[in-house]
């Protein structure tokens, strides 16, 4: 009937969300703890998100060490060899793209992913001199993905929460105890409080950006096959061309 949408892509969407939903006190406690520990003040940090276990991030039927990517959300993938190298490359691009946005470089970049192994590697291992010393062969090639990503995370203030409880995919990891899903909501709310976003496939980080109402967002990858899950985000978040 010719009406203009006054909810999607406006602050109204976030206002409605916050009216209906509040974090459980146990989750809010973790949100506050991570924010305080990492110095994440609302509106004064950005988010780089990677969905490296999504089937559409790779060619159809892709497998790693005999495990198909289609089952990765449920069973996980071994963080070794080609999957490690590809994941680190995706993470590196997500950080590069978000850091290209206005004023991002002077604030922390909160890194989150559907792979806790990747978060541990990017935000904790690569900034640990003991880890680097213990794996010299990974960093010998100064133009290799490990060395260049290490330079990136040390140039920018890339941070992440500790990964003792990974992000469980609620649809694919059913039947777990309630506290095992807390981490997914902690990262969601930390995303909602961010200034700028870099995200790729799926709706998780895009949903957080939509709730936040920010216009500071960029897509660092698009689906390799099929349509992107978030058609509505295509127009509102430009594709990174670095």
């Amino acid at each position: 009937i010719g009406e203009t949408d006054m909810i999607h892509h406006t602050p109204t969407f976030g206002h409605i969300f916050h009216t209906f939903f509040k974090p459980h006190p146990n989750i809010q406690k973790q949100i506050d703890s991570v924010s305080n520990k990492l110095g994440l003040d609302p509106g004064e940090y950005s988010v780089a998100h990677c969905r490296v276990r999504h089937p559409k991030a790779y060619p159809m039927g892709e497998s790693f060490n005999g495990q198909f990517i289609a089952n990765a959300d449920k069973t996980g993938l071994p963080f070794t060899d080609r999957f490690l190298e590809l994941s680190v490359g995706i993470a590196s691009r997500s950080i590069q793209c978000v850091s290209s946005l206005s004023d991002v470089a002077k604030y922390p970049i909160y890194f989150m992913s559907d792979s806790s192994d990747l978060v541990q590697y990017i935000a904790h291992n690569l900034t640990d001199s003991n880890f680097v010393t213990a794996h010299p062969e990974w960093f010998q090639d100064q133009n290799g993905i490990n060395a260049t990503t290490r330079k990136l995370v040390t140039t920018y203030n890339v941070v992440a929460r500790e990964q003792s409880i990974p992000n469980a995919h609620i649809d694919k990891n059913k039947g777990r105890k309630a506290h095992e899903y807390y981490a997914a909501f902690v990262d969601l709310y930390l995303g909602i409080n961010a200034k700028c976003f870099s995200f790729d496939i799926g709706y998780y980080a895009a949903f957080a950006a939509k709730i936040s109402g920010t216009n500071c967002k960029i897509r660092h990858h698009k689906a390799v096959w099929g349509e992107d899950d978030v058609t509505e985000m295509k127009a509102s978040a430009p594709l990174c061309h670095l």
Side-chain angles (χ1 to χ4, degrees):
I1 59 177
E3 292 182 352
T4 301
D5 186 344
M6 298 301 292
I7 297 177
H8 294 286
H9 309 300
T10 73
T12 301
F13 185 88
H15 294 329
I16 293 173
F17 178 88
H18 289 301
T19 298
F20 281 92
F21 302 104
K22 302 293 182 186
H24 185 279
N26 291 345
I27 296 175
Q28 187 63 58
K29 182 178 180 180
Q30 291 191 22
I31 295 169
D32 294 341
S33 176
V34 174
S35 298
N36 292 334
K37 181 178 180 180
L38 301 180
L40 303 178
D41 296 322
E44 295 188 0
Y45 64 93
S46 295
V47 162
H49 177 260
C50 297
R51 187 76 163 84
V52 297
R53 300 195 305 186
H54 197 292
K56 291 184 180 180
Y58 311 95
M60 191 177 296
E62 182 67 272
S63 65
F64 297 93
N65 293 340
Q67 297 189 40
F68 287 99
I69 189 68
N71 300 322
D73 279 332
K74 186 174 183 179
T75 62
L77 285 172
F79 192 64
T80 59
D81 304 326
R82 192 166 62 93
F83 179 65
L84 186 156
E85 184 173 340
L86 289 174
S87 297
V88 173
I90 293 171
S92 178
R93 182 169 176 79
S94 74
I95 296 167
Q96 286 178 306
C97 288
V98 77
S99 65
S100 72
L101 298 173
S102 178
D103 292 331
V104 166
K106 63 184 181 182
Y107 296 109
I109 296 174
Y110 183 71
F111 182 73
M112 58 188 191
S113 173
D114 57 347
S115 169
S116 290
D117 291 324
L118 179 60
V119 176
Q120 176 65 33
Y121 185 77
I122 294 295
H124 300 291
N125 293 346
L126 288 182
T127 57
D128 182 352
S129 59
N130 291 328
F131 178 89
V132 175
T133 301
H135 302 87
E137 69 281 6
W138 293 8
F139 303 95
Q140 285 179 347
D141 181 0
Q142 293 302 302
N143 295 317
I145 191 61
N146 292 299
T148 55
T149 304
R150 182 170 184 263
K151 292 177 184 176
L152 188 66
V153 300
T154 53
T155 298
Y156 299 104
N157 183 16
V158 178
V159 298
R161 62 176 175 80
E162 58 86 22
Q163 297 291 302
S164 60
I165 298 180
N167 282 353
H169 194 293
I170 295 175
D171 289 338
K172 303 294 178 66
N173 302 126
K174 297 179 180 179
R176 297 188 179 187
K177 295 180 179 179
H179 74 272
E180 295 183 81
Y181 299 104
Y182 285 179
F185 289 97
V186 170
D187 277 354
L188 177 68
Y189 274 90
L190 288 172
I192 291 170
N193 290 333
K195 170 185 172 66
C196 297
F197 286 83
S198 172
F199 55 79
D200 50 358
I201 305 163
Y203 197 40
Y204 182 75
F207 183 52
K210 186 174 181 179
I211 296 168
S212 77
T214 183
N215 291 316
C216 186
K217 52 198 173 187
I218 195 165
R219 293 165 61 232
H220 58 84
H221 283 90
K222 60 181 181 178
V224 173
W225 56 271
E227 291 295 322
D228 284 333
D229 290 7
V230 196
T231 303
E232 66 180 80
M233 295 303 294
K234 290 181 179 179
S236 63
L239 188 64
C240 180
H241 292 290
L242 290 179

